[in-house]
Amino acid sequence: MSTLRIDSNECFSTEVTIRESDPYTKSVYVKFDRYYIPEEIRGCNEMFVTPSELERLARFMLRQADEIRTEQAVRKETA
C-alpha cells in the first residue's frame, strides 16, 4: 500500500492511497481522501480499476498538468 499526501495549504490536503485490492480479482484499490483542517475528512472517493486503467489515469493526469502548465505560462508571458 502506498499513500501520497498533498498539502495545498495549512487548511486543505488530499491523500491518495493505492493498493492491490486482493490477489484474486487482480484489481487495484484507489482512494482519494480530502481533508479540510488537518485530520478532518470532508470527502472520500474509492474505486477499483485494473492496473492498465490506473496507468491510463496517471498518463491522463500528467498530460493535463503539462497542458495547464503551458497555458498558464503563455498567459503569464502575454500579461
Side-chain angles (χ1 to χ4, degrees):
M1 180 173 80
S2 296
T3 299
L4 170 67
R5 184 177 182 116
I6 303 167
D7 294 318
S8 299
N9 57 43
E10 67 270 358
C11 293
F12 186 77
S13 63
T14 302
E15 281 187 4
V16 181
T17 302
I18 299 175
R19 66 174 167 77
E20 184 179 31
S21 172
D22 62 71
Y24 306 105
T25 63
K26 299 179 183 171
S27 294
V28 177
Y29 172 77
V30 181
K31 181 170 114 177
F32 292 88
D33 288 316
R34 294 176 306 283
Y35 294 88
Y36 181 71
I37 303 175
E39 308 311 318
E40 181 181 326
I41 296 177
R42 301 296 288 200
C44 176
N45 290 53
E46 300 172 296
M47 66 182 95
F48 294 92
V49 296
T50 66
S52 295
E53 291 167 338
L54 180 62
E55 184 177 16
R56 282 184 23 208
L57 178 62
R59 289 175 190 260
F60 170 76
M61 289 179 155
L62 286 170
R63 276 194 316 272
Q64 293 307 305
D66 187 46
E67 288 178 18
I68 290 169
R69 189 178 293 119
T70 300
E71 289 173 7
Q72 290 174 344
V74 168
R75 276 198 306 271
K76 186 177 180 180
E77 288 178 7
T78 59

